[in-house]
Amino acid sequence: MDTRRPQAPDLPKPPAAPRFRWGRLLGWLPVCLVHGGVVAWAATLVERFTAPLVLFSLLVGAVLGATLVGLIRLLQIGNRPTVLWGTGLAVLVAVAGQHYLGYRAARRAAVEDRQAYQFAQLAFRGSALAHSPVPPRGFFPFLRWRAARGVGLLGYQAKGWVIWLLWAADGTLVLAAALAVVGSMVKRPYCDRCRSWFRSTRGGPVDPETARRL
């Protein structure tokens, strides 16, 4: 009785890592730039209703990462550094975009309330009520002004470097969540010759003869 095991089929080598292409990078980065701006706009709208501390940042990062995965599959972007550079850019735009949209909203509200504030200056000249809360012009001066004014946090009035630290933590959480989602995508096999992601079309056990034909 022949008890020898059947010879294993000669399987093809695993696909090579996708090569870096400047054309793909230059086409991918503008997509990520626009996409980050769209996520920032959507996050600003949702933030008006609810924005739980920590959880909101993780949610923004997860949504950003999931939608980037859809774009990666749609555009067939396989090179991992290209994907990660685009993800980092999208996160940067999404985080900075929320602050910039807040700046625009504050300036718009200040213009709308200008007449009422001018009346307060005339009525309460020389008092604390006459000091203008109007944010300064320019995005970076606005960030410094906002950090100096502070925000209420868990019964504590956070100001100055604490606000900057909170903003840095917010950006880090968004980046971590986005990379966690996108990172699970880039681990999948990609065919550099076809320039497309592998996808399963059928599942089940394969006998040696079928595997050899495949």
Side-chain angles (χ1 to χ4, degrees), residues 36-146:
V38 172
V39 171
W41 172 77
T44 303
L45 293 180
V46 175
E47 193 176 14
R48 296 177 183 176
F49 301 97
T50 179
L53 192 65
V54 178
L55 181 60
F56 184 75
S57 301
L58 293 175
L59 180 62
V60 171
V63 170
L64 178 63
T67 47
L68 280 175
V69 166
L71 291 173
I72 291 169
R73 295 300 297 263
L74 178 65
L75 301 177
Q76 299 295 340
I77 307 296
N79 181 258
R80 287 162 179 77
T82 300
V83 170
L84 296 179
W85 272 106
T87 302
L89 177 62
V91 169
L92 178 63
V93 174
V95 173
Q98 293 179 66
H99 291 290
Y100 181 76
L101 290 173
Y103 160 69
R104 297 294 300 176
R107 290 297 307 176
R108 185 165 54 251
V111 171
E112 294 174 354
D113 296 340
R114 180 175 298 173
Q115 291 183 348
Y117 196 79
Q118 289 176 347
F119 173 77
Q121 283 184 317
L122 294 175
F124 303 99
R125 186 179 302 275
S127 68
L129 294 176
H131 294 289
S132 174
V134 177
R137 292 186 179 275
F139 178 52
F140 291 106
F142 166 76
L143 292 179
R144 292 193 295 268
W145 174 83
R146 189 176 180 186

Side-chain angles (χ1 to χ4, degrees), residues 8 13 15 35 55 72 75 88 118 139 149 165-166 180 186 212:
K13 296 181 180 179
H35 184 65
L55 181 60
I72 291 169
L75 301 177
Q118 289 176 347
F139 178 52
R149 285 174 61 87
L165 184 61
L166 290 174
V186 297
R212 186 178 296 109

